[in-house]
Amino acid sequence: MSETKNGAVTVLLGAQWGDEGKGKIIDYLIEKYNVAVTARCQGGNNAGHTVVANGRKYDFHILPSGIISPTCYNVIGNGVVVNLDAFFSELDHNGVTNDPGWEKRIKISSEAHLVFSVHAQVDGRQEDTLAAKNKIGTTNRGIGPTYSSKCFRNGIRVADLMGCFEEFSERYRRLVEHYKKQFPSIDVDLEAELAKFKAHREKLKELDLVGDTVGFIHKMRKEGKAILVEGANGALLDIDFGTYPYVTSSNATVGGACTGLGIPPTAIHYIIGVVKAYQTRVGTGPFPTELLNEEGERLQQIGQEVGVTTGRKRRCGWLDLFLLKRSAQINGYTAIALTKLDILDSFERINIAVGYKLDGEELSAPPAQAAAWERIEVEYKEFPGWMSETSGIREYDKLPEKCRKYVQFIQDFIEVPIKWIGVGADRESLIVRH
Ligand code: 2SA
Ligand code: GDP
Ligand code: MG
Protein backbone atom coordinates (compact mmCIF):
# COMPACT_ATOMS: atom_id res chain seq x y z
CA MET A 1 0.00 0.00 0.00
CA SER A 2 1.55 3.30 -0.95
CA GLU A 3 -0.59 6.38 -1.50
CA THR A 4 -4.27 5.52 -1.46
CA LYS A 5 -5.58 5.50 -5.00
CA ASN A 6 -9.25 6.16 -5.61
CA GLY A 7 -11.24 3.08 -4.74
CA ALA A 8 -8.13 0.94 -4.38
CA VAL A 9 -8.53 -2.41 -2.72
CA THR A 10 -5.64 -3.71 -0.60
CA VAL A 11 -5.63 -7.36 0.37
CA LEU A 12 -3.66 -8.30 3.46
CA LEU A 13 -2.85 -11.99 3.84
CA GLY A 14 -1.09 -14.31 6.23
CA ALA A 15 1.83 -15.74 4.25
CA GLN A 16 2.49 -18.78 6.49
CA TRP A 17 0.32 -20.92 8.80
CA GLY A 18 -1.56 -18.00 10.34
CA ASP A 19 -0.78 -15.86 13.40
CA GLU A 20 1.82 -13.81 11.56
CA GLY A 21 0.63 -10.65 13.31
CA LYS A 22 -1.97 -9.57 10.74
CA GLY A 23 -4.11 -7.77 13.34
CA LYS A 24 -1.32 -5.40 14.27
CA ILE A 25 -0.45 -4.51 10.66
CA ILE A 26 -4.12 -3.97 9.79
CA ASP A 27 -4.47 -1.59 12.73
CA TYR A 28 -1.43 0.38 11.50
CA LEU A 29 -2.65 0.53 7.88
CA ILE A 30 -6.13 1.74 8.83
CA GLU A 31 -4.77 4.82 10.54
CA LYS A 32 -1.93 5.51 8.16
CA TYR A 33 -3.89 5.15 4.92
CA ASN A 34 -7.28 6.41 6.03
CA VAL A 35 -8.93 3.08 5.33
CA ALA A 36 -12.72 3.47 5.08
CA VAL A 37 -13.73 -0.20 5.00
CA THR A 38 -12.17 -3.37 6.40
CA ALA A 39 -13.67 -6.60 5.14
CA ARG A 40 -13.38 -10.27 6.03
CA CYS A 41 -13.70 -12.60 3.04
CA GLN A 42 -13.16 -16.13 4.40
CA GLY A 43 -12.93 -18.24 7.54
CA GLY A 44 -15.01 -17.66 10.60
CA ASN A 45 -14.41 -17.42 14.32
CA ASN A 46 -11.51 -19.86 14.03
CA ALA A 47 -9.35 -16.80 13.33
CA GLY A 48 -7.74 -14.91 16.19
CA HIS A 49 -6.29 -11.47 15.48
CA THR A 50 -4.64 -9.53 18.27
CA VAL A 51 -4.42 -5.76 18.26
CA VAL A 52 -2.59 -3.90 21.02
CA ALA A 53 -3.76 -0.29 20.88
CA ASN A 54 -5.31 2.46 23.02
CA GLY A 55 -3.60 0.94 26.06
CA ARG A 56 -5.44 -2.37 25.77
CA LYS A 57 -5.33 -5.72 24.00
CA TYR A 58 -8.20 -6.63 21.66
CA ASP A 59 -8.79 -10.06 20.18
CA PHE A 60 -10.97 -10.44 17.13
CA HIS A 61 -12.25 -13.72 15.79
CA ILE A 62 -15.18 -12.97 13.52
CA LEU A 63 -15.15 -9.15 13.58
CA PRO A 64 -12.84 -7.30 11.19
CA SER A 65 -10.07 -5.51 13.10
CA GLY A 66 -11.24 -2.14 11.72
CA ILE A 67 -13.94 -2.20 14.38
CA ILE A 68 -11.47 -0.38 16.68
CA SER A 69 -11.42 2.65 14.44
CA PRO A 70 -14.46 4.91 15.06
CA THR A 71 -14.60 5.87 11.38
CA CYS A 72 -14.14 2.52 9.68
CA TYR A 73 -16.94 0.43 8.18
CA ASN A 74 -16.65 -3.33 8.73
CA VAL A 75 -17.90 -5.94 6.31
CA ILE A 76 -18.38 -9.64 6.92
CA GLY A 77 -18.48 -10.96 3.38
CA ASN A 78 -20.33 -13.80 1.67
CA GLY A 79 -17.28 -16.07 1.91
CA VAL A 80 -17.24 -15.94 5.71
CA VAL A 81 -19.04 -18.53 7.85
CA VAL A 82 -20.83 -16.68 10.62
CA ASN A 83 -21.44 -17.87 14.14
CA LEU A 84 -23.98 -15.36 15.44
CA ASP A 85 -23.47 -16.25 19.12
CA ALA A 86 -19.77 -15.47 18.70
CA PHE A 87 -20.53 -12.33 16.70
CA PHE A 88 -22.74 -10.77 19.37
CA SER A 89 -20.57 -11.80 22.30
CA GLU A 90 -17.43 -10.46 20.58
CA LEU A 91 -19.09 -7.08 20.09
CA ASP A 92 -19.79 -6.90 23.83
CA HIS A 93 -16.45 -8.37 24.90
CA ASN A 94 -14.51 -5.74 22.93
CA GLY A 95 -16.71 -2.89 24.17
CA VAL A 96 -17.96 -2.08 20.64
CA THR A 97 -21.59 -1.76 21.73
CA ASN A 98 -20.66 1.13 24.05
CA ASP A 99 -19.91 3.35 21.05
CA PRO A 100 -22.97 5.28 19.90
CA GLY A 101 -23.94 4.35 16.32
CA TRP A 102 -21.65 1.28 16.25
CA GLU A 103 -24.25 -0.68 14.34
CA LYS A 104 -24.01 1.65 11.34
CA ARG A 105 -20.39 0.56 10.87
CA ILE A 106 -21.11 -3.16 10.47
CA LYS A 107 -22.62 -5.06 7.56
CA ILE A 108 -23.00 -8.82 7.29
CA SER A 109 -23.56 -10.30 3.84
CA SER A 110 -26.98 -11.88 3.41
CA GLU A 111 -25.17 -14.54 1.36
CA ALA A 112 -22.84 -15.63 4.18
CA HIS A 113 -23.43 -19.09 5.63
CA LEU A 114 -24.43 -19.64 9.26
CA VAL A 115 -22.45 -21.81 11.65
CA PHE A 116 -24.69 -23.81 13.99
CA SER A 117 -23.78 -25.64 17.17
CA VAL A 118 -24.42 -28.86 15.25
CA HIS A 119 -21.48 -27.95 12.98
CA ALA A 120 -19.18 -27.58 15.97
CA GLN A 121 -20.33 -30.95 17.29
CA VAL A 122 -19.66 -32.57 13.92
CA ASP A 123 -16.20 -30.95 13.88
CA GLY A 124 -15.39 -32.70 17.16
CA ARG A 125 -16.95 -36.03 16.13
CA GLN A 126 -15.04 -36.05 12.85
CA GLU A 127 -11.76 -35.45 14.63
CA ASP A 128 -12.64 -38.25 17.08
CA THR A 129 -12.98 -40.69 14.20
CA LEU A 130 -9.36 -40.08 13.10
CA ALA A 131 -6.25 -41.78 14.41
CA ALA A 132 -4.02 -39.43 16.42
CA LYS A 133 -1.56 -38.86 13.59
CA ASN A 134 -4.34 -38.03 11.13
CA LYS A 135 -6.21 -35.53 13.27
CA ILE A 136 -6.27 -32.04 11.76
CA GLY A 137 -6.22 -30.32 15.15
CA THR A 138 -9.06 -27.98 14.17
CA THR A 139 -10.21 -25.13 16.36
CA ASN A 140 -13.42 -27.10 16.93
CA ARG A 141 -15.52 -24.11 15.87
CA GLY A 142 -17.46 -26.03 13.19
CA ILE A 143 -15.73 -24.22 10.33
CA GLY A 144 -15.06 -27.28 8.11
CA PRO A 145 -18.55 -28.76 8.54
CA THR A 146 -20.17 -25.39 7.71
CA TYR A 147 -18.21 -25.09 4.47
CA SER A 148 -19.15 -28.74 3.78
CA SER A 149 -22.82 -27.84 4.20
CA LYS A 150 -22.30 -24.93 1.81
CA CYS A 151 -20.86 -27.25 -0.86
CA PHE A 152 -23.34 -30.02 -0.12
CA ARG A 153 -26.02 -27.35 -0.69
CA ASN A 154 -27.94 -27.93 2.50
CA GLY A 155 -26.24 -24.97 4.20
CA ILE A 156 -28.32 -22.12 5.59
CA ARG A 157 -27.48 -18.53 4.79
CA VAL A 158 -28.02 -15.33 6.74
CA ALA A 159 -30.72 -14.36 4.20
CA ASP A 160 -32.64 -17.55 5.06
CA LEU A 161 -32.72 -16.51 8.70
CA MET A 162 -33.96 -13.03 7.76
CA GLY A 163 -36.77 -14.43 5.57
CA CYS A 164 -39.67 -16.72 6.52
CA PHE A 165 -38.88 -18.16 9.94
CA GLU A 166 -40.99 -21.27 9.35
CA GLU A 167 -38.96 -22.12 6.28
CA PHE A 168 -35.72 -21.45 8.13
CA SER A 169 -36.85 -23.74 10.98
CA GLU A 170 -37.69 -26.49 8.51
CA ARG A 171 -34.30 -26.30 6.84
CA TYR A 172 -32.58 -26.21 10.19
CA ARG A 173 -34.39 -29.37 11.36
CA ARG A 174 -33.41 -31.12 8.13
CA LEU A 175 -29.77 -30.10 8.60
CA VAL A 176 -29.67 -31.54 12.13
CA GLU A 177 -31.36 -34.75 10.95
CA HIS A 178 -28.81 -35.10 8.16
CA TYR A 179 -25.95 -34.99 10.64
CA LYS A 180 -27.70 -37.20 13.20
CA LYS A 181 -27.74 -40.00 10.64
CA GLN A 182 -23.97 -39.77 10.46
CA PHE A 183 -23.33 -39.14 14.17
CA PRO A 184 -26.33 -40.39 16.26
CA SER A 185 -24.76 -39.05 19.46
CA ILE A 186 -25.24 -35.46 18.31
CA ASP A 187 -27.28 -33.62 20.86
CA VAL A 188 -29.27 -30.55 19.79
CA ASP A 189 -32.12 -28.94 21.70
CA LEU A 190 -33.99 -27.96 18.54
CA GLU A 191 -36.55 -25.69 20.15
CA ALA A 192 -33.99 -23.85 22.29
CA GLU A 193 -31.73 -23.34 19.25
CA LEU A 194 -34.62 -22.04 17.16
CA ALA A 195 -35.66 -19.64 19.92
CA LYS A 196 -32.09 -18.37 20.09
CA PHE A 197 -31.97 -17.82 16.33
CA LYS A 198 -35.30 -16.02 16.46
CA ALA A 199 -33.79 -13.61 18.97
CA HIS A 200 -30.68 -13.16 16.79
CA ARG A 201 -32.94 -12.48 13.83
CA GLU A 202 -34.85 -9.75 15.68
CA LYS A 203 -31.60 -8.13 16.77
CA LEU A 204 -30.12 -8.25 13.26
CA LYS A 205 -33.30 -6.68 11.87
CA GLU A 206 -33.59 -4.02 14.56
CA LEU A 207 -29.96 -2.95 14.09
CA ASP A 208 -30.11 -3.33 10.30
CA LEU A 209 -26.90 -5.37 10.26
CA VAL A 210 -27.56 -7.53 7.20
CA GLY A 211 -27.35 -6.41 3.62
CA ASP A 212 -25.87 -6.50 0.15
CA THR A 213 -22.19 -6.17 0.95
CA VAL A 214 -21.17 -6.51 -2.71
CA GLY A 215 -23.16 -3.37 -3.53
CA PHE A 216 -21.83 -1.61 -0.43
CA ILE A 217 -18.18 -2.22 -1.30
CA HIS A 218 -18.80 -1.29 -4.93
CA LYS A 219 -20.37 2.01 -3.82
CA MET A 220 -17.46 2.78 -1.49
CA ARG A 221 -14.98 2.05 -4.29
CA LYS A 222 -16.85 4.42 -6.61
CA GLU A 223 -16.66 7.10 -3.94
CA GLY A 224 -12.88 6.64 -3.98
CA LYS A 225 -12.64 5.14 -0.50
CA ALA A 226 -9.76 2.86 0.52
CA ILE A 227 -10.82 -0.74 1.16
CA LEU A 228 -8.73 -3.21 3.13
CA VAL A 229 -9.48 -6.93 2.89
CA GLU A 230 -8.41 -8.76 6.02
CA GLY A 231 -7.28 -12.31 5.30
CA ALA A 232 -7.66 -14.84 8.10
CA ASN A 233 -5.57 -17.98 8.81
CA GLY A 234 -2.75 -18.12 6.23
CA ALA A 235 -1.63 -19.21 2.76
CA LEU A 236 -0.24 -22.55 3.95
CA LEU A 237 -3.64 -23.37 5.48
CA ASP A 238 -5.46 -22.69 2.19
CA ILE A 239 -7.85 -25.48 1.17
CA ASP A 240 -6.23 -25.74 -2.30
CA PHE A 241 -2.64 -24.60 -1.83
CA GLY A 242 -1.99 -25.47 1.80
CA THR A 243 -0.57 -28.62 3.35
CA TYR A 244 -3.72 -30.61 2.55
CA PRO A 245 -5.49 -32.21 4.41
CA TYR A 246 -3.99 -30.31 7.36
CA VAL A 247 -5.62 -27.07 6.29
CA THR A 248 -8.63 -24.93 7.02
CA SER A 249 -11.69 -25.16 4.76
CA SER A 250 -11.53 -21.88 2.87
CA ASN A 251 -9.26 -20.08 0.40
CA ALA A 252 -6.90 -18.08 2.56
CA THR A 253 -4.95 -17.00 -0.54
CA VAL A 254 -5.68 -13.97 -2.71
CA GLY A 255 -8.52 -15.53 -4.73
CA GLY A 256 -10.57 -15.72 -1.54
CA ALA A 257 -10.81 -11.91 -1.56
CA CYS A 258 -12.62 -11.98 -4.91
CA THR A 259 -14.94 -14.91 -4.28
CA GLY A 260 -15.56 -14.05 -0.64
CA LEU A 261 -16.54 -10.44 -1.23
CA GLY A 262 -17.55 -10.15 -4.87
CA ILE A 263 -14.64 -7.85 -5.71
CA PRO A 264 -13.22 -8.08 -9.25
CA PRO A 265 -9.49 -8.95 -9.42
CA THR A 266 -8.83 -5.74 -11.34
CA ALA A 267 -9.89 -3.72 -8.27
CA ILE A 268 -7.02 -5.13 -6.22
CA HIS A 269 -4.04 -2.76 -6.29
CA TYR A 270 -1.93 -3.94 -3.37
CA ILE A 271 -1.38 -7.37 -1.85
CA ILE A 272 0.44 -7.34 1.45
CA GLY A 273 1.91 -10.57 2.80
CA VAL A 274 2.45 -10.72 6.53
CA VAL A 275 5.45 -12.90 7.38
CA LYS A 276 6.64 -13.86 10.85
CA ALA A 277 10.46 -13.78 11.15
CA TYR A 278 10.30 -17.47 12.12
CA GLN A 279 7.66 -20.13 11.59
CA THR A 280 4.73 -21.26 13.77
CA ARG A 281 1.84 -23.63 13.37
CA VAL A 282 -1.14 -24.63 15.56
CA GLY A 283 -2.74 -27.97 15.08
CA THR A 284 -1.15 -30.96 13.37
CA GLY A 285 0.33 -31.32 9.91
CA PRO A 286 3.71 -31.04 8.19
CA PHE A 287 6.24 -28.59 9.54
CA PRO A 288 9.68 -29.43 8.13
CA THR A 289 11.55 -26.64 9.97
CA GLU A 290 9.93 -27.36 13.35
CA LEU A 291 12.32 -27.21 16.30
CA LEU A 292 11.52 -29.98 18.76
CA ASN A 293 14.26 -28.81 21.10
CA GLU A 294 15.22 -26.09 23.52
CA GLU A 295 15.44 -23.51 20.70
CA GLY A 296 11.83 -24.27 19.72
CA GLU A 297 10.75 -23.88 23.33
CA ARG A 298 12.53 -20.56 23.54
CA LEU A 299 10.78 -19.28 20.41
CA GLN A 300 7.45 -20.40 21.89
CA GLN A 301 8.12 -18.70 25.21
CA ILE A 302 9.78 -15.47 24.06
CA GLY A 303 7.27 -15.14 21.21
CA GLN A 304 4.37 -15.99 23.55
CA GLU A 305 3.13 -18.34 20.88
CA VAL A 306 -0.27 -19.37 22.17
CA GLY A 307 -3.45 -19.68 20.05
CA VAL A 308 -5.74 -16.66 20.43
CA THR A 309 -8.89 -18.73 19.88
CA THR A 310 -8.12 -22.04 21.57
CA GLY A 311 -5.22 -21.23 23.90
CA ARG A 312 -3.12 -24.03 22.37
CA LYS A 313 0.66 -23.74 22.37
CA ARG A 314 1.92 -23.03 18.86
CA ARG A 315 4.64 -25.24 17.39
CA CYS A 316 7.73 -23.19 16.47
CA GLY A 317 10.61 -23.49 14.02
CA TRP A 318 12.92 -21.63 11.64
CA LEU A 319 11.63 -19.44 8.84
CA ASP A 320 10.82 -21.48 5.75
CA LEU A 321 11.67 -19.50 2.61
CA PHE A 322 10.99 -22.46 0.35
CA LEU A 323 7.33 -22.37 1.41
CA LEU A 324 7.27 -18.58 1.52
CA LYS A 325 8.37 -18.40 -2.09
CA ARG A 326 5.43 -20.62 -3.04
CA SER A 327 3.11 -18.42 -0.99
CA ALA A 328 4.48 -15.36 -2.88
CA GLN A 329 3.99 -17.08 -6.27
CA ILE A 330 0.34 -17.75 -5.50
CA ASN A 331 -0.51 -14.42 -3.90
CA GLY A 332 1.63 -12.00 -5.91
CA TYR A 333 2.55 -9.88 -2.89
CA THR A 334 3.38 -6.28 -3.72
CA ALA A 335 4.95 -5.75 -0.28
CA ILE A 336 5.82 -7.72 2.84
CA ALA A 337 5.34 -6.88 6.50
CA LEU A 338 7.93 -8.85 8.47
CA THR A 339 6.80 -9.26 12.06
CA LYS A 340 8.26 -10.40 15.39
CA LEU A 341 11.86 -9.80 14.37
CA ASP A 342 12.50 -8.81 18.03
CA ILE A 343 11.80 -12.39 19.13
CA LEU A 344 15.08 -13.48 17.49
CA ASP A 345 17.16 -10.87 19.38
CA SER A 346 18.69 -13.37 21.81
CA PHE A 347 19.42 -16.26 19.41
CA GLU A 348 23.11 -16.87 18.81
CA ARG A 349 22.48 -18.50 15.47
CA ILE A 350 19.42 -18.41 13.26
CA ASN A 351 18.57 -20.74 10.41
CA ILE A 352 16.46 -20.22 7.33
CA ALA A 353 15.15 -23.00 5.09
CA VAL A 354 16.14 -22.34 1.48
CA GLY A 355 15.32 -25.63 -0.22
CA TYR A 356 13.67 -29.04 0.09
CA LYS A 357 14.86 -32.45 -1.06
CA LEU A 358 12.59 -35.45 -1.42
CA ASP A 359 14.31 -38.85 -1.61
CA GLY A 360 17.54 -37.03 -2.48
CA GLU A 361 16.00 -34.96 -5.31
CA GLU A 362 15.84 -31.15 -5.14
CA LEU A 363 12.20 -30.00 -5.21
CA SER A 364 10.86 -27.02 -7.13
CA ALA A 365 7.46 -27.07 -5.36
CA PRO A 366 6.09 -28.36 -2.05
CA PRO A 367 4.84 -31.96 -2.21
CA ALA A 368 1.19 -32.36 -3.12
CA GLN A 369 0.98 -35.78 -1.50
CA ALA A 370 0.49 -35.70 2.26
CA ALA A 371 2.68 -38.75 2.95
CA ALA A 372 5.68 -37.25 1.11
CA TRP A 373 6.15 -34.52 3.72
CA GLU A 374 7.56 -37.05 6.18
CA ARG A 375 10.50 -37.69 3.83
CA ILE A 376 11.42 -34.06 3.26
CA GLU A 377 15.00 -33.04 3.92
CA VAL A 378 15.47 -29.35 4.55
CA GLU A 379 18.41 -27.35 3.25
CA TYR A 380 19.31 -24.48 5.60
CA LYS A 381 21.36 -21.32 5.49
CA GLU A 382 22.77 -20.29 8.85
CA PHE A 383 22.99 -16.69 10.06
CA PRO A 384 24.85 -15.38 13.10
CA GLY A 385 22.40 -13.80 15.57
CA TRP A 386 22.67 -10.05 16.30
CA MET A 387 22.35 -10.59 20.06
CA SER A 388 20.98 -7.14 20.89
CA GLU A 389 17.60 -5.62 21.54
CA THR A 390 15.70 -4.25 18.53
CA SER A 391 12.38 -3.34 20.17
CA GLY A 392 13.23 0.35 20.62
CA ILE A 393 14.49 0.83 17.04
CA ARG A 394 12.31 2.73 14.56
CA GLU A 395 14.70 3.26 11.63
CA TYR A 396 15.92 0.46 9.40
CA ASP A 397 19.48 1.76 9.27
CA LYS A 398 19.70 1.61 13.06
CA LEU A 399 19.10 -2.16 13.13
CA PRO A 400 22.29 -4.15 13.80
CA GLU A 401 24.12 -5.08 10.60
CA LYS A 402 23.63 -8.82 11.18
CA CYS A 403 19.92 -8.22 11.55
CA ARG A 404 19.74 -6.20 8.32
CA LYS A 405 21.55 -9.04 6.53
CA TYR A 406 18.86 -11.45 7.73
CA VAL A 407 16.08 -9.14 6.49
CA GLN A 408 17.84 -8.45 3.19
CA PHE A 409 18.31 -12.16 2.53
CA ILE A 410 14.58 -12.79 2.94
CA GLN A 411 13.72 -9.91 0.62
CA ASP A 412 16.17 -11.05 -2.06
CA PHE A 413 15.03 -14.66 -1.85
CA ILE A 414 11.34 -13.97 -2.34
CA GLU A 415 11.87 -10.90 -4.53
CA VAL A 416 9.28 -8.77 -2.77
CA PRO A 417 10.11 -5.56 -0.89
CA ILE A 418 9.89 -5.74 2.89
CA LYS A 419 8.17 -2.48 3.68
CA TRP A 420 7.36 -2.86 7.36
CA ILE A 421 9.24 -4.59 10.17
CA GLY A 422 7.60 -5.41 13.50
CA VAL A 423 9.80 -5.17 16.59
CA GLY A 424 7.14 -5.38 19.32
CA ALA A 425 3.45 -6.11 19.88
CA ASP A 426 2.13 -2.58 20.22
CA ARG A 427 1.07 -0.18 17.49
CA GLU A 428 4.22 1.93 17.71
CA SER A 429 6.74 -0.94 17.47
CA LEU A 430 7.11 -0.79 13.72
CA ILE A 431 9.92 0.17 11.35
CA VAL A 432 8.68 1.66 8.09
CA ARG A 433 11.04 1.42 5.12
CA HIS A 434 10.77 3.98 2.35
P1 2SA B 1 -10.26 -25.14 11.39
O1 2SA B 1 -10.78 -24.92 12.78
O2 2SA B 1 -11.05 -26.15 10.61
O3 2SA B 1 -10.05 -23.88 10.61
O4 2SA B 1 -8.81 -25.83 11.60
C1 2SA B 1 -8.10 -26.37 10.51
C2 2SA B 1 -6.62 -26.03 10.60
O5 2SA B 1 -6.43 -24.62 10.51
C3 2SA B 1 -5.72 -24.15 11.62
N1 2SA B 1 -6.20 -22.83 12.04
C4 2SA B 1 -5.41 -21.87 12.52
N2 2SA B 1 -4.07 -21.79 12.57
C5 2SA B 1 -3.57 -20.66 13.14
N3 2SA B 1 -4.33 -19.69 13.75
C6 2SA B 1 -5.67 -19.78 13.72
N4 2SA B 1 -6.44 -19.00 14.52
C7 2SA B 1 -6.23 -19.08 16.00
C8 2SA B 1 -5.14 -18.11 16.45
C9 2SA B 1 -5.93 -20.53 16.37
C10 2SA B 1 -6.02 -20.95 17.83
O6 2SA B 1 -5.16 -16.99 15.95
O7 2SA B 1 -4.28 -18.44 17.26
O8 2SA B 1 -6.34 -20.18 18.73
O9 2SA B 1 -5.77 -22.17 18.05
C11 2SA B 1 -6.27 -20.87 13.04
N5 2SA B 1 -7.55 -21.22 12.77
C12 2SA B 1 -7.48 -22.43 12.16
C13 2SA B 1 -6.00 -25.16 12.73
O10 2SA B 1 -5.03 -25.13 13.76
C14 2SA B 1 -5.98 -26.46 11.94
O11 2SA B 1 -4.66 -26.86 11.72
P1 GDP C 1 -2.86 -12.81 13.48
O1 GDP C 1 -3.80 -13.95 13.62
O2 GDP C 1 -2.02 -12.90 12.25
O3 GDP C 1 -3.51 -11.45 13.62
O4 GDP C 1 -1.81 -12.94 14.68
P2 GDP C 1 -2.13 -13.29 16.21
O5 GDP C 1 -2.75 -12.12 16.85
O6 GDP C 1 -2.83 -14.60 16.30
O7 GDP C 1 -0.66 -13.56 16.77
C1 GDP C 1 0.37 -12.61 16.65
C2 GDP C 1 0.88 -12.24 18.04
O8 GDP C 1 2.10 -11.53 17.93
C3 GDP C 1 -0.04 -11.30 18.80
O9 GDP C 1 0.06 -11.60 20.17
C4 GDP C 1 0.53 -9.92 18.53
O10 GDP C 1 0.25 -8.97 19.54
C5 GDP C 1 2.01 -10.22 18.47
N1 GDP C 1 2.81 -9.38 17.57
C6 GDP C 1 2.50 -8.89 16.35
N2 GDP C 1 3.56 -8.28 15.78
C7 GDP C 1 4.58 -8.37 16.68
C8 GDP C 1 5.96 -7.96 16.67
O11 GDP C 1 6.46 -7.40 15.71
N3 GDP C 1 6.69 -8.28 17.78
C9 GDP C 1 6.17 -8.92 18.86
N4 GDP C 1 6.95 -9.17 19.90
N5 GDP C 1 4.88 -9.32 18.89
C10 GDP C 1 4.11 -9.05 17.82
MG1 MG D 1 -4.20 -15.54 14.86
Side-chain angles (χ1 to χ4, degrees):
M1 208 169 191
S2 57
E3 292 319 305
T4 307
K5 282 192 200 155
N6 281 354
V9 175
T10 298
V11 180
L12 180 137
L13 302 165
Q16 295 152 308
W17 280 299
D19 312 321
E20 298 88 353
K22 297 180 287 295
K24 176 187 152 157
I25 303 296
I26 291 162
D27 175 54
Y28 164 81
L29 294 174
I30 289 170
E31 208 174 271
K32 174 80 181 163
Y33 293 103
N34 204 14
V35 169
V37 184
T38 54
R40 279 281 303 272
C41 61
Q42 43 75 230
N45 62 323
N46 53 347
H49 298 172
T50 316
V51 181
V52 183
N54 311 324
R56 64 171 284 192
K57 190 171 177 174
Y58 301 85
D59 58 296
F60 300 115
H61 302 270
I62 184 77
L63 293 176
S65 308
I67 202 82
I68 301 181
S69 156
T71 55
C72 204
Y73 288 96
N74 297 273
V75 168
I76 297 179
N78 58 282
V80 177
V81 289
V82 185
N83 179 321
L84 287 174
D85 297 345
F87 170 77
F88 284 116
S89 69
E90 204 172 308
L91 285 168
D92 285 337
H93 166 74
N94 285 296
V96 177
T97 46
N98 298 331
D99 301 337
W102 64 270
E103 69 280 2
K104 294 187 183 64
R105 296 197 294 114
I106 302 179
K107 271 282 171 273
I108 306 175
S109 165
S110 51
E111 286 154 338
H113 278 249
L114 291 168
V115 182
F116 295 98
S117 67
V118 68
H119 288 123
Q121 290 191 46
V122 170
D123 204 346
R125 301 283 193 294
Q126 256 163 359
E127 284 278 88
D128 290 344
T129 62
L130 299 169
K133 76 174 179 70
N134 297 329
K135 287 188 198 300
I136 313 289
T138 73
T139 57
N140 232 329
R141 296 296 186 273
I143 306 301
T146 307
Y147 281 112
S148 301
S149 294
K150 176 176 175 175
C151 291
F152 197 71
R153 287 161 292 181
N154 64 350
I156 303 177
R157 307 206 289 187
V158 175
D160 300 321
L161 174 64
M162 305 310 278
C164 168
F165 196 72
E166 276 312 299
E167 225 166 90
F168 166 82
S169 307
E170 191 43 41
R171 294 188 59 177
Y172 175 66
R173 287 194 179 94
R174 279 209 304 271
L175 182 74
V176 174
E177 259 169 49
H178 164 84
Y179 280 125
K180 274 197 137 184
K181 280 186 202 138
Q182 202 181 349
F183 299 107
S185 65
I186 278 175
D187 181 25
V188 178
D189 183 341
L190 279 171
E191 296 317 310
E193 281 289 295
L194 284 171
K196 191 177 70 184
F197 272 90
K198 196 161 201 177
H200 285 331
R201 175 183 196 258
E202 296 319 311
K203 216 164 160 183
L204 290 172
K205 275 188 194 281
E206 183 194 316
L207 297 167
D208 193 21
L209 292 176
V210 176
D212 168 27
T213 51
V214 174
F216 176 75
I217 292 184
H218 184 73
K219 178 171 158 280
M220 295 303 263
R221 282 182 48 223
K222 280 206 130 179
E223 286 174 15
K225 302 279 174 35
I227 320 272
L228 179 61
V229 179
E230 176 174 342
N233 319 118
L236 306 178
L237 289 167
D238 182 277
I239 183 79
D240 286 280
F241 302 113
T243 46
Y244 193 87
Y246 305 95
V247 293
T248 191
S249 300
S250 62
N251 281 116
T253 48
V254 67
C258 297
T259 55
L261 283 162
I263 294 174
T266 45
I268 299 172
H269 291 203
Y270 309 104
I271 304 161
I272 299 171
V274 186
V275 176
K276 201 181 280 190
Y278 48 99
Q279 206 84 10
T280 63
R281 167 159 215 170
V282 245
T284 44
F287 187 169
T289 62
E290 183 169 17
L291 288 164
L292 295 167
N293 58 14
E294 189 251 345
E295 278 171 316
E297 269 165 41
R298 278 181 63 210
L299 280 175
Q300 195 278 325
Q301 277 162 18
I302 303 171
Q304 295 177 17
E305 295 295 350
V306 177
V308 182
T309 304
T310 62
R312 293 177 292 176
K313 266 192 186 178
R314 295 177 184 144
R315 299 153 65 193
C316 298
W318 298 126
L319 181 63
D320 193 330
L321 287 188
F322 181 75
L323 292 183
L324 189 59
K325 201 158 191 167
R326 181 70 164 184
S327 163
Q329 273 173 5
I330 293 163
N331 287 318
Y333 303 125
T334 55
I336 293 288
L338 183 70
T339 61
K340 302 192 94 162
L341 191 63
D342 54 304
I343 304 305
L344 298 175
D345 286 352
S346 62
F347 283 76
E348 264 176 39
R349 50 166 210 112
I350 302 163
N351 277 311
I352 293 189
V354 291
Y356 279 7
K357 276 187 182 165
L358 178 67
D359 304 330
E361 296 276 320
E362 195 90 34
L363 290 187
S364 58
Q369 199 191 42
W373 284 91
E374 287 166 22
R375 308 198 307 278
I376 289 292
E377 247 179 274
V378 182
E379 199 187 315
Y380 287 104
K381 179 170 167 62
E382 189 177 295
F383 289 80
W386 44 94
M387 302 297 285
S388 62
E389 211 174 292
T390 54
S391 57
I393 298 176
R394 297 290 174 270
E395 285 166 51
Y396 183 70
D397 293 342
K398 302 233 162 90
L399 283 173
E401 195 190 349
K402 286 176 182 156
C403 182
R404 278 185 276 129
K405 279 197 168 149
Y406 183 77
V407 175
Q408 193 63 41
F409 185 83
I410 300 168
Q411 173 166 303
D412 293 345
F413 195 96
I414 56 169
E415 300 176 284
V416 185
I418 295 177
K419 188 139 190 227
W420 303 275
I421 298 171
V423 288
D426 55 82
R427 209 180 238 181
E428 288 71 37
S429 302
L430 199 68
I431 295 171
V432 182
R433 287 174 84 190
H434 299 285

